[in-house]
C-alpha cells in the first residue's frame, strides 16, 4: 500500500545507494587488443565526509532532536545499505557497508538511535556488531559496561530472557561493573534490591529500591520510604509519590492514598486515574467518570505522539483498558444483580481466557504479574468481593502466573 507515500520517499534508499556506491573498476580494450583496468573518477568524493557528518549529526540527535519518524527513516536507510552491500561485511572489513554512517565508528550511534526509537531488533543488531569489534579491542571498561547494559535491555525488550541472562554472566566473568538496574531489567528483584540498598545514598538508588519493593509487594516499607525520600527534582519526587500511592491502595489506607495522589499533577494519566479511583471508593460516580475522561485525554495525546508499533504503544493501550475496567466497576456497583453477574463473567473470560463458539481457545490478559496485579486491585473496588469478579479458583492458572 504505497499510494499515500510520496514517490521521493519510496525511491530514496535506492537513489542514495546509487549515488553513494563507490565506482567499480572498468575493463577497457586497448588499440593493440590488450585489456586494462581503470577506476572511474568518483564524482562525490569531495562531499563524502560532509554527507557522513550530516547523517551522524541526524542520528546522534543531541543538538537537533529530530522526530522519531525521521530517525526511523535513516535507520531504514542504514539497513538498506547493509543489505545492498552485503559482500562488504567480511571479517577483514567489518562495517564496510555502513561507511555513509561512519563505518565501524558509527555503529554505536546507530545502536543508540535505534534504542531511542524503540527499534530494539535493530539496536541489538548494531550493538552485537559493536560487541564483537569493540570489546575485543579492550579500549576501556566503561565502553564495555555500556555495551553489556544495552544488550541486556534489547534482549529483555525482545523477550530473549536467557540471552539477557547470558550477557549478565559474561559481564560478571569478565570483571565488568554490574549495575543494580541490570538485575531490575531481568526481574531479579531480590538481587536488585540488595544492590540498590548498598548504594542507597542517592535519589537514583532510592527510587530503584522503591521499585523493587513495589515488585515484591512489600507495601508497608514502601509507604515508609516515600517519607524518607527527600529530593527536590520534581520528576523524581513524583515517581516516588506514585509508588507510595500504589502501596497505600494495596494497604487500603485511603487517607494516605488521598494525601499522596493529590501531589500528582492532575494533567497526567496517573493523577487523573488515581483521583477517579478515590472517587469510586467514596461512591462519587459522576466525579469518577469525569476523572476517567481526563485520564483518557492524556492517553489520546500519547497515542498521537507514538507510531503504530504494537509493542511501543502497549503500555498506553493497557492503561486504556484500566480506564474501561474502572467504568465497569462503577457499573457493577450501581447495576442490578443480573447485570453484575454478566459483568463478572466478562471479567473472568477477559482475564483468564475462554473458548469461542468454534472451540478455539481465546487467550486472556498476558501472563505478566504486574498487569494482573493492577487489574485485580482495580476490581477489588466492587462492593461485594464476589469470587466471579476475580480469577476462578484454578491452581494451575495460579502457578502459571507465578512462574510467568
Amino acid at each position: 500500500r504505497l499510494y499515500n507515500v510520496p514517490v521521493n520517499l519510496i525511491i530514496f534508499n535506492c537513489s542514495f545507494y546509487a549515488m553513494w556506491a563507490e565506482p567499480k573498476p572498468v575493463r577497457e580494450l586497448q588499440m593493440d587488443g590488450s585489456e586494462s583496468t581503470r577506476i572511474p573518477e568518483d564524482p562525490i568524493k569531495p562531499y563524502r565526509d560532509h554527507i557522513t557528518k550530516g547523517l551522524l549529526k541526524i542520528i546522534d540527535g543531541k543538538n537537533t532532536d529530530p522526530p522519531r519518524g525521521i530517525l526511523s527513516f535513516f535507520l531504514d536507510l542504514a539497513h538498506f545499505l547493509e543489505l545492498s552491500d552485503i559482500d562488504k561485511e567480511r571479517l577483514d572489513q567489518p562495517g564496510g557497508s555502513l561507511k555513509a554512517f561512519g563505518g565501524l565508528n558509527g555503529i554505536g550511534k546507530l545502536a543508540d538511535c535505534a534504542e531511542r526509537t524503540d527499534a530494539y531488533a535493530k539496536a541489538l543488531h548494531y550493538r552485537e556488531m559493536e560487541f564483537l569489534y569493540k570489546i575485543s579491542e579492550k579500549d576501556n571498561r566503561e565502553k564495555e559496561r555500556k555495551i553489556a547494559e544495552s544488550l541486556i535491555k534489547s534482549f529483555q525488550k525482545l523477550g530473549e530472557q536467557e540471552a539477557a541472562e547470558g550477557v549478565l554472566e559474561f559481564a560478571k566473568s569478565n570483571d565488568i561493573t554490574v549495575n543494580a538496574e541490570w538485575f531490575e531489567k531481568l526481574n531479579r528483584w531480590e538481587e536488585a534490591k540488595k544492590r540498590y540498598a548498598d548504594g542507597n545514598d542517592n535519589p537514583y538508588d532510592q527510587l530503584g529500591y522503591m521499585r523493587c519493593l513495589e515488585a515484591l509487594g512489600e507495601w508497608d516499607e514502601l509507604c515508609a520510604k516515600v517519607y524518607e525520600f527527600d529530593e527536590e527534582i520534581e520528576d523524581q519526587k513524583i515517581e516516588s509519590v506514585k509508588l507510595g500511592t500504589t502501596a497505600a491502595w494495596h494497604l487500603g489506607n485511603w487517607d494516605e492514598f488521598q494525601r499522596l495522589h493529590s501531589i500528582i499533577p492532575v494533567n497526567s494519566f496517573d493523577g487523573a486515574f488515581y483521583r477517579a479511583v478515590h472517587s469510586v471508593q467514596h461512591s462519587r460516580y459522576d466525579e469518577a467518570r469525569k476523572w476517567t475522561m481526563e485520564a483518557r485525554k492524556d492517553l489520546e495525546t500519547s497515542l498521537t505522539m507514538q507510531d503504530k508499533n504494537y509493542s511501543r504503544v502497549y503500555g498506553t493501550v493497557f492503561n486504556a483498558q484500566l480506564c474501561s475496567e474502572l467504568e465497569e466497576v462503577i457499573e457493577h456497583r450501581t447495576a442490578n444483580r443480573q447485570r453484575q453477574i454478566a459483568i463478572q463473567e466478562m471479567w473472568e473470560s477477559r482475564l483468564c481466557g475462554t473458548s469461542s463458539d468454534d472451540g478455539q481457545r481465546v487467550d486472556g490478559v498476558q501472563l505478566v504479574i504486574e498487569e494482573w496485579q493492577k487489574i485485580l486491585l482495580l476490581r477489588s473496588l466492587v462492593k461485594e468481593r464476589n469470587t466471579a469478579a476475580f480469577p476462578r479458583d484454578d491452581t494451575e492458572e495460579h502457578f502459571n502466573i507465578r512462574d510467568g
Side-chain angles (χ1 to χ4, degrees):
R1 297 184 179 182
L2 301 175
Y3 49 82
N4 287 327
V5 182
V7 174
N8 58 332
L9 295 183
I10 297 174
I11 66 173
F12 179 83
N13 291 346
C14 298
S15 302
F16 184 92
Y17 176 71
M19 175 274 298
W20 181 262
E22 297 175 351
K24 295 182 179 181
V26 177
R27 288 185 178 182
E28 294 182 339
L29 183 64
Q30 303 298 320
M31 296 293 294
D32 58 2
S34 62
E35 288 188 354
S36 65
T37 302
R38 179 180 65 87
I39 299 179
E41 182 181 355
D42 184 359
I44 66 164
K45 185 176 181 179
Y47 312 107
R48 287 186 180 273
D49 287 343
H50 296 291
I51 294 172
T52 298
K53 289 178 182 178
L55 290 174
L56 288 176
K57 185 176 181 180
I58 293 172
I59 64 173
D60 189 37
K62 289 183 178 178
N63 300 320
T64 55
D65 192 24
R68 180 193 294 265
I70 297 296
L71 296 177
S72 297
F73 180 81
F74 284 102
L75 284 173
D76 288 341
L77 172 62
H79 181 63
F80 182 86
L81 294 177
E82 282 190 276
L83 294 179
S84 301
D85 259 355
I86 196 68
D87 59 310
K88 288 188 177 181
E89 290 301 321
R90 302 189 300 271
L91 291 177
D92 61 334
Q93 197 180 6
S97 62
L98 292 170
K99 284 185 178 180
F101 289 90
L104 196 59
N105 293 326
I107 288 176
K109 290 187 177 181
L110 283 169
D112 293 338
C113 178
E115 287 180 353
R116 291 202 306 276
T117 59
D118 298 331
Y120 291 107
K122 291 180 180 176
L124 180 60
H125 168 66
Y126 294 123
R127 204 64 83 185
E128 285 178 333
M129 292 177 66
E130 193 177 20
F131 177 88
L132 289 173
Y133 304 121
K134 288 288 186 182
I135 278 193
S136 60
E137 296 174 7
K138 300 292 182 183
D139 49 356
N140 64 74
R141 306 303 286 179
E142 178 60 24
K143 185 68 174 179
E144 297 170 12
R145 187 202 62 78
K146 178 184 176 183
I147 293 174
E149 181 176 5
S150 179
L151 285 171
I152 288 175
K153 178 181 179 181
S154 295
F155 277 127
Q156 192 270 334
K157 290 289 186 179
L158 294 170
E160 300 290 344
Q161 188 74 10
E162 291 185 2
E165 296 275 0
V167 175
L168 179 62
E169 294 305 317
F170 173 87
K172 288 181 179 179
S173 62
N174 286 271
D175 298 324
I176 298 175
T177 304
V178 178
N179 294 341
E181 187 180 359
W182 298 12
F183 292 95
E184 184 182 351
K185 289 176 180 176
L186 294 172
N187 297 329
R188 292 166 62 167
W189 300 107
E190 289 288 359
E191 293 171 272
K193 176 184 171 185
K194 183 179 183 302
R195 287 177 178 265
Y196 278 128
D198 293 340
N200 203 16
D201 56 350
N202 63 76
Y204 175 83
D205 287 332
Q206 290 173 7
L207 284 173
Y209 186 82
M210 293 169 69
R211 289 193 299 270
C212 293
L213 293 177
E214 180 190 30
L216 295 169
E218 298 177 9
W219 308 118
D220 289 302
E221 184 179 357
L222 178 54
C223 260
K225 283 290 181 182
V226 175
Y227 295 101
E228 298 176 14
F229 188 79
D230 185 18
E231 177 57 40
E232 295 181 357
I233 299 177
E234 186 68 15
D235 290 345
Q236 294 180 338
K237 183 67 176 178
I238 294 300
E239 183 179 351
S240 71
V241 169
K242 289 178 183 178
L243 293 168
T245 304
T246 301
W249 187 1
H250 276 276
L251 294 171
N253 189 339
W254 292 103
D255 291 336
E256 187 66 16
F257 181 87
Q258 181 180 17
R259 195 194 74 79
L260 290 172
H261 82 60
S262 62
I263 301 174
I264 305 173
V266 297
N267 59 346
S268 67
F269 171 80
D270 293 292
F273 185 75
Y274 284 137
R275 285 168 172 81
V277 168
H278 189 260
S279 299
V280 170
Q281 172 63 19
H282 291 80
S283 302
R284 299 194 295 266
Y285 301 127
D286 290 338
E287 182 181 307
R289 293 186 183 96
K290 184 197 78 170
W291 285 119
T292 303
M293 291 303 299
E294 290 298 318
R296 277 207 178 92
K297 288 180 182 178
D298 182 79
L299 295 180
E300 290 173 4
T301 303
S302 299
L303 283 171
T304 56
M305 293 175 62
Q306 297 174 352
D307 57 33
K308 300 301 184 288
N309 185 292
Y310 180 73
S311 63
R312 296 171 197 164
V313 302
Y314 179 79
T316 304
V317 172
F318 180 75
N319 285 337
Q321 179 182 339
L322 292 181
C323 289
S324 297
E325 293 259 350
L326 185 57
E327 290 174 332
E328 290 167 357
V329 167
I330 295 174
E331 184 178 0
H332 186 283
R333 290 171 65 118
T334 57
N336 57 40
R337 184 59 184 164
Q338 184 177 2
R339 180 56 183 158
Q340 287 179 342
I341 294 174
I343 293 174
Q344 291 163 188
E345 290 175 349
M346 177 181 62
W347 278 348
E348 181 177 356
S349 63
R350 182 188 299 159
L351 193 61
C352 299
T354 185
S355 297
S356 60
D357 295 337
D358 59 0
Q360 296 294 320
R361 175 69 178 175
V362 179
D363 292 332
V365 174
Q366 295 181 11
L367 293 180
V368 179
I369 193 168
E370 291 84 1
E371 294 175 5
W372 278 57
Q373 187 182 70
K374 290 177 182 178
I375 292 174
L376 296 180
L377 184 62
L378 194 57
R379 293 178 184 179
S380 69
L381 292 171
V382 298
K383 287 184 176 179
E384 300 177 9
R385 284 187 59 91
N386 205 303
T387 54
F390 300 88
R392 56 183 175 272
D393 187 12
D394 189 330
T395 304
E396 182 179 354
E397 192 75 42
H398 173 75
F399 283 109
N400 280 341
I401 187 65
R402 287 291 299 266
D403 296 337

